[in-house]
């Protein structure tokens, strides 16, 4: 099914000059970058995006981290875009992410794990609304 998903290159990856290589991986499989913007995430946007994790021990640090510097916000589309992006990203913890995935190749830290991608079509529409309103 044709889908849109929300992808975000997190602050550490922007700082490490990884934008081009991450966008290339999305384009390499044939996904379309529909929108793309370098921007700061507001605290309100971060809290809305990660609402499901509110109350967890890592939540304050997660909000702090994602608002710590510029990110790249993207709307990405294509056949099964949500699952395809999740596959390209790899496991949440870069230490568990397979080689060849974005997190597996570029990351080592669970806190700073390079990239965000929506986990369902419903999350995607909600997150696109948060970041592109
Ligand atoms: P996901 O990004 O693969 O969907 P989620 O479980 O939704 O993973 O967690 C959201 C983000 O919160 C992760 O990408 C990671 O940055 C951070 N995170 C998740 N679990 C932990 C943890 O146990 N410690 C620190 N940060 C975490
Ligand atoms: Mg998630």
């Amino acid at each position: 099914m044709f889908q849109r998903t929300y992808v975000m290159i997190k602050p550490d990856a922007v700082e490490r000059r990884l934008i081009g290589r991450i966008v290339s991986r999305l384009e390499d499989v044939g996904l379309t970058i529909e929108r793309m913007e370098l921007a700061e995430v507001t605290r309100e946007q971060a809290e809305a995006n990660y609402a499901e994790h509110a109350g967890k021990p890592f939540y304050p640090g997660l909000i702090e981290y994602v608002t710590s510097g510029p990110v790249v916000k993207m709307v990405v589309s294509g056949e099964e875009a949500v699952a395809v992006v999740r596959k390209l990203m790899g496991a949440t913890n870069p230490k568990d992410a397979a080689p060849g995935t974005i997190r597996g190749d570029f990351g080592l830290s669970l806190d700073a794990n390079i990239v965000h991608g929506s986990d369902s079509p419903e999350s995607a529409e909600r997150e696109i609304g948060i970041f592109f309103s």
Side-chain angles (χ1 to χ4, degrees):
M1 198 188 5
F2 182 88
Q3 294 171 339
R4 302 197 300 168
T5 188
Y6 176 69
V7 181
M8 184 163 69
I9 302 175
K10 294 181 174 182
D12 61 304
V14 172
E15 190 178 336
R16 290 173 52 208
R17 311 299 194 259
L18 296 174
I19 295 171
R21 282 190 279 173
I22 293 170
V23 172
S24 285
R25 290 183 178 216
L26 304 175
E27 290 194 320
D28 281 350
V29 300
L31 292 167
T32 300
I33 312 298
E34 289 196 10
R35 301 186 66 168
M36 180 159 69
E37 187 186 344
L38 184 80
E40 303 270 350
V41 171
T42 66
R43 177 161 288 271
E44 291 67 32
Q45 288 171 327
E47 290 177 350
N49 187 58
Y50 288 117
E52 63 175 303
H53 298 301
K56 295 182 186 171
F58 63 84
Y59 177 78
L62 175 60
I63 300 301
E64 207 60 46
Y65 159 60
V66 83
T67 56
S68 67
V71 302
V72 175
K73 310 187 293 185
M74 284 178 271
V75 177
V76 176
S77 70
E79 227 17 66
E80 301 296 331
V82 170
V84 169
V85 166
R86 296 285 293 191
K87 183 186 70 172
L88 292 175
M89 283 167 41
T92 301
N93 191 333
K95 295 184 193 70
D96 302 326
T101 64
I102 294 168
R103 286 165 168 168
D105 287 351
F106 297 126
L108 209 51
S109 155
L110 172 57
D111 307 281
N113 63 355
I114 313 289
V115 70
H116 168 85
S118 309
D119 62 10
S120 69
E122 296 71 32
S123 300
E125 292 310 314
R126 188 178 74 84
E127 293 171 4
I128 290 168
I130 291 169
F131 291 102
F132 291 99
S133 50

